[in-house]
């Protein structure tokens, strides 16, 4: 296990091919995936893990597996990925959890750690989250961690909200910062 971050209740670690079965708990769930184009097959989930591994190699970061600190149980994924937005490469904070863990603040906790890692460990000056306008729960997570709605764009053949936080907002974000283990 290659731990990247730790929060009060979670360990965020690098994804590996052995995580496909756990990821299928999210990717095959039509409710969890309702704001995505479709659920994913096992083959597509394997492709997702390969894409994530490529991101680690190319960028030094990617989506991480989120496990409960006390039990080691898989809860979801959260991390940073490079996304093209209107011709510009942005670093996105993404999060997706098993439905049985919704409503417990785990996505907010993980996304806060990912945000701080992006700013303080990676030295990023701006972070975004790309969210379907109807996904009010994800929009609330973005707002709780200090991102603000900047604009709507056309991406993935649909309207997408771009939530962002940058240098001009950093003091606000620092005040919400969760201490990191490094």
């Amino acid at each position: 296990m290659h731990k990247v971050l730790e929060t009060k209740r979670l360990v965020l670690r690098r994804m590996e091919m052995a995580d496909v079965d756990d990821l299928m708990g999210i990717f095959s769930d039509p409710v969890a995936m309702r704001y995505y184009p479709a659920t994913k097959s096992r083959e597509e989930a394997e492709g997702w893990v390969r894409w994530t591994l490529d991101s680690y190699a190319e960028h030094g970061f990617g989506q991480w597996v989120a496990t409960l600190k006390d039990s080691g149980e898989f809860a979801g994924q959260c991390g940073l990925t490079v996304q093209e937005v209107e011709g510009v490469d942005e670093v996105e904070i993404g999060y997706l959890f098993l439905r049985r863990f919704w409503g417990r603040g785990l996505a907010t906790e993980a996304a806060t750690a990912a945000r701080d890692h992006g700013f303080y460990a990676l030295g990023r000056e701006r972070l975004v989250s790309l969210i379907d306008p109807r996904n009010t729960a994800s929009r609330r997570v973005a707002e709780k961690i200090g991102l603000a709605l900047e604009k709507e764009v056309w991406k993935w053949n649909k309207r997408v909200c771009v939530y962002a936080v940058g240098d001009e907002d950093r003091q606000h974000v620092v005040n919400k910062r969760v201490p990191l283990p490094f």
Side-chain angles (χ1 to χ4, degrees):
M1 176 183 88
H2 183 83
K3 180 171 75 173
V4 177
L5 299 170
E6 189 173 318
T7 69
K8 181 178 178 182
R9 298 178 290 169
L10 296 169
V11 171
L12 300 177
R13 64 162 175 80
R14 284 185 166 223
M15 195 176 288
E16 48 197 46
M17 289 307 293
D19 295 313
V20 169
D21 286 339
D22 287 330
L23 288 165
M24 286 304 295
I26 300 170
F27 292 156
S28 67
D29 180 347
V31 175
M33 297 295 288
R34 73 177 167 258
Y35 299 113
Y36 293 83
T39 57
K40 291 185 187 298
S41 67
R42 182 174 183 78
E43 183 179 313
E44 290 168 323
E46 290 169 354
W48 173 256
V49 174
R50 282 191 295 276
W51 180 78
T52 299
L53 297 176
D54 288 346
S55 180
Y56 298 156
E58 185 176 346
H59 305 292
F61 55 84
Q63 288 293 305
W64 303 303
V65 167
T67 59
L68 299 180
K69 192 186 285 187
D70 60 356
S71 67
E73 182 181 4
F74 174 90
Q77 66 175 6
C78 180
L80 302 168
T81 54
V82 175
Q83 296 281 5
E84 183 273 325
V85 179
E86 297 186 314
V88 176
D89 282 345
E90 299 271 19
V91 176
E92 179 191 21
I93 303 168
Y95 36 89
L96 193 56
F97 281 74
L98 289 168
R99 209 168 1 136
R100 72 176 177 270
F101 293 112
W102 290 3
R104 299 184 191 183
L106 294 176
T108 300
E109 189 173 317
T112 298
R115 178 204 67 201
D116 290 352
H117 186 76
F119 278 139
Y120 302 106
L122 301 176
R124 303 304 303 193
E125 295 181 359
R126 174 180 160 85
L127 299 167
V128 302
S129 281
L130 307 177
I131 304 171
D132 185 294
R134 300 164 296 164
N135 190 341
T136 55
S138 274
R139 292 176 75 163
R140 278 194 305 271
V141 170
E143 291 165 358
K144 285 180 189 175
I145 69 166
L147 281 72
L149 180 61
E150 182 177 88
K151 60 185 172 182
E152 288 189 11
V153 299
W154 188 256
K155 184 167 180 66
W156 302 307
N157 296 315
K158 66 178 186 172
R159 261 185 31 215
V160 176
C161 293
V162 177
Y163 279 79
V165 62
D167 277 344
E168 66 278 4
D169 307 305
R170 196 177 287 228
Q171 188 57 49
H172 172 72
V173 169
V174 168
N175 291 335
K176 290 186 167 199
R177 186 165 181 238
V178 173
L180 295 177
F182 52 86

